[in-house]
Amino acid sequence: MSTSDSVGQNDLLIVGPGVLGRIVAEKWQKENPSCKIFGQTATTDNHRELAQIGIVSSLKGSRVDQKVPYVIFCAPPYHSDDYPEHLRVAASNWNGEGSFLFTSSTAVYDCSDNGLCSEDSPCMPIGRSPQADVLLKAENVVLEAGGCVLRLVGLYKMDRGPHVFWLSKGTLDVRPDHIISLIHYEDAASLAIAIMRKRLRGHVFVGCDNQPLSRQEIMDQVNRSSKFDTKFQGFTGTDGPLGKKMENSKTRAEIGWQPKYPSFTEFLGLRN
């Protein structure tokens, strides 16, 4: 990936410019019109499309000719044989100035009883969950490099998110009382940018809207909203693990951030 011109103070590398990464790119460009934005992807399939929105693309895992001041890694682990190694390569493309941010997941927290969790709640011990192990090892790579971690809850927008999947199924054999914490894609992007702007080192943050809902409450609101062509029929499960109620007042206080969409309810145009 060639950066033949000199590196700008706001140049950004996005590893995994998918839905979230593209929103980050759009917001970053508006704030920094003269910056260069680079993207690294698992395949070349979307490189032409990314070029049209101003992202200079290459394949994930490649090293840039010149390191950049801002790096955000938002590629999911399921496309990688060695996820922590991809984080090491991303760290090697950071010049140590601005910020290096990894968007992880609140799945690492050790809670499955609908209990309250925040930034400092205990994480799962290594060895209990393969999914959590991969994320925690990747987080450690980032933190050791001086980067920051943003653990995100369930991302959504009108046409993406758990509600869209459940609506497509009609009925599901899972518990209706399982608590889901949510954040809108735009809010996740604005929080990520706000964290990068702080240029902090070695911090862990949480991204959520502080209004957790049960699966049943989410789909009741979808049905009430009249914004979807079909109606959800219901959840039929009676056992299985529960979720967690994520809360991020510490992140909000430290970063000075508030979401555009304070809750899924308000996003749908309903009253809490």
Side-chain angles (χ1 to χ4, degrees), residues 3-271:
T3 58
S4 52
D5 300 330
S6 61
V7 176
Q9 63 179 8
N10 292 309
D11 286 358
L12 172 68
L13 167 62
I14 303 172
V15 182
V19 177
L20 177 60
R22 292 182 198 200
I23 298 172
V24 168
E26 181 186 355
K27 290 179 180 293
W28 193 266
Q29 276 178 325
K30 283 181 181 174
E31 291 182 16
N32 310 285
S34 62
C35 76
K36 294 186 290 294
I37 297 182
F38 305 97
Q40 290 190 345
T41 59
T43 72
T44 59
D45 295 351
N46 297 316
H47 283 192
R48 183 172 296 177
E49 186 182 329
L50 292 169
Q52 290 172 348
I53 58 173
I55 298 176
V56 180
S57 300
S58 65
L59 287 175
K60 190 170 65 177
S62 54
R63 284 183 164 79
V64 295
D65 293 341
Q66 291 178 283
K67 299 182 180 189
V68 294
Y70 291 93
V71 177
I72 181 169
F73 191 107
C74 33
Y78 48 78
H79 286 311
S80 172
D81 294 331
D82 188 350
Y83 199 53
E85 178 58 25
H86 282 298
L87 269 300
R88 287 187 194 94
V89 173
S92 75
N93 288 327
W94 178 42
N95 68 10
E97 295 175 12
S99 184
F100 175 30
L101 182 65
F102 170 45
T103 59
S104 183
S105 168
T106 55
V108 300
Y109 287 111
D110 189 9
C111 178
S112 57
D113 60 0
N114 281 354
L116 187 65
C117 279
S118 59
E119 292 87 350
D120 299 322
S121 294
C123 291
M124 288 191 196
I126 293 291
R128 182 187 297 173
S129 161
Q131 177 197 16
D133 287 358
V134 168
L135 291 170
L136 288 167
K137 289 173 183 176
E139 287 185 3
N140 285 337
V141 169
V142 175
L143 296 170
E144 287 170 7
C148 290
V149 171
L150 172 58
R151 293 172 178 161
L152 293 172
V153 296
L155 291 157
Y156 76 90
K157 57 192 188 82
M158 193 65 78
D159 61 347
R160 289 181 75 97
H163 66 291
V164 176
F165 173 71
W166 297 334
L167 202 56
S168 72
K169 296 296 182 183
T171 61
L172 271 101
D173 186 23
V174 294
R175 293 181 68 149
D177 55 340
H178 179 116
I179 293 290
I180 306 284
S181 296
L182 296 168
I183 187 170
H184 193 282
Y185 273 98
E186 281 189 43
D187 288 326
S190 74
L191 176 55
I193 288 172
I195 291 168
M196 287 194 287
R197 282 291 177 218
K198 289 285 185 182
R199 300 163 65 108
L200 299 168
R201 300 290 180 265
H203 288 235
V204 175
F205 301 100
V206 164
C208 61
D209 64 13
N210 282 354
Q211 298 292 329
L213 298 166
S214 70
R215 287 173 175 148
Q216 188 65 55
E217 288 170 326
I218 290 171
M219 296 316 288
D220 284 348
Q221 292 178 9
V222 165
N223 284 348
R224 270 178 56 211
S225 73
S226 303
K227 294 183 183 293
F228 300 89
D229 295 335
T230 57
K231 295 285 186 184
F232 182 70
Q233 301 306 309
F235 299 105
T236 59
T238 55
D239 56 11
L242 293 168
K244 52 181 77 80
K245 298 173 183 171
M246 292 306 309
E247 185 274 334
N248 70 341
S249 56
K250 180 180 176 183
T251 292
R252 295 183 186 209
E254 188 166 354
I255 301 302
W257 171 88
Q258 292 292 328
K260 176 181 177 181
Y261 300 104
S263 68
F264 183 70
T265 310
E266 291 176 66
F267 166 73
L268 290 177
L270 303 171
R271 296 175 65 181

